[in-house]
């Protein structure tokens, strides 16, 4: 019997970020539990808040705002599926 692997938001985000930015370093952490009790977040809310640390050549010469906009744009569909917030530490080598 094959075990079924559920594709989580974390896995989807990691895949999208790797394919888009080809980072040298990538860390995606689910920090949803740190935000339990915040308005709009229920005890059943899962995978709503993430911390991303990423180093990519794609960010070379871009301002922090431009870097963040690029990530928000590519992860836009996840916000429509329940992602609430991202904390980002982005850089170029």
């Amino acid at each position: 019997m094959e075990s079924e692997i559920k594709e989580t938001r974390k896995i989807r985000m990691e895949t999208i970020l790797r394919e888009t930015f080809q980072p040298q370093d990538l860390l995606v952490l689910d920090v949803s539990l740190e935000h339990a009790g915040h308005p709009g977040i229920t005890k059943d809310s899962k995978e709503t808040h993430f911390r991303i640390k990423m180093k990519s050549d794609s960010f070379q010469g871009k301002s922090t705002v431009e870097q963040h906009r690029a990530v928000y744009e590519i992860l836009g569909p996840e916000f429509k599926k329940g992602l609430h917030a991202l904390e980002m530490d982005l850089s170029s080598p």
Side-chain angles (χ1 to χ4, degrees):
M1 181 168 127
E2 288 185 38
S3 64
E4 188 175 314
I5 298 175
K6 180 183 175 195
E7 184 181 60
T8 63
R9 175 168 288 130
K10 180 180 186 293
I11 291 170
R12 285 194 308 268
M13 288 172 47
E14 287 173 339
T15 300
I16 291 165
L17 293 170
R18 286 188 195 287
E19 289 175 356
T20 304
F21 298 104
Q22 301 167 351
Q24 288 84 353
D25 294 308
L26 175 63
L27 177 64
V28 178
L29 295 174
D30 182 352
V31 294
S32 301
L33 289 177
E34 294 176 13
H35 300 275
H38 288 192
I41 305 302
T42 68
K43 64 180 176 122
D44 296 324
S45 296
K46 293 185 170 95
E47 294 192 302
T48 57
H49 292 71
F50 284 85
R51 188 171 294 134
I52 297 171
K53 184 170 184 169
M54 180 168 49
K55 185 182 293 186
S56 170
D57 287 330
S58 299
F59 300 136
Q60 186 71 36
K62 293 188 175 165
S63 70
T64 300
V65 171
E66 291 170 321
Q67 293 171 15
H68 284 218
R69 282 183 181 159
V71 173
Y72 277 117
E73 182 178 338
I74 201 71
L75 294 179
E78 290 299 329
F79 282 93
K80 293 177 182 172
K81 296 176 186 174
L83 178 60
H84 183 74
L86 296 175
E87 295 175 43
M88 293 184 271
D89 178 3
L90 309 174
S91 63
S92 59

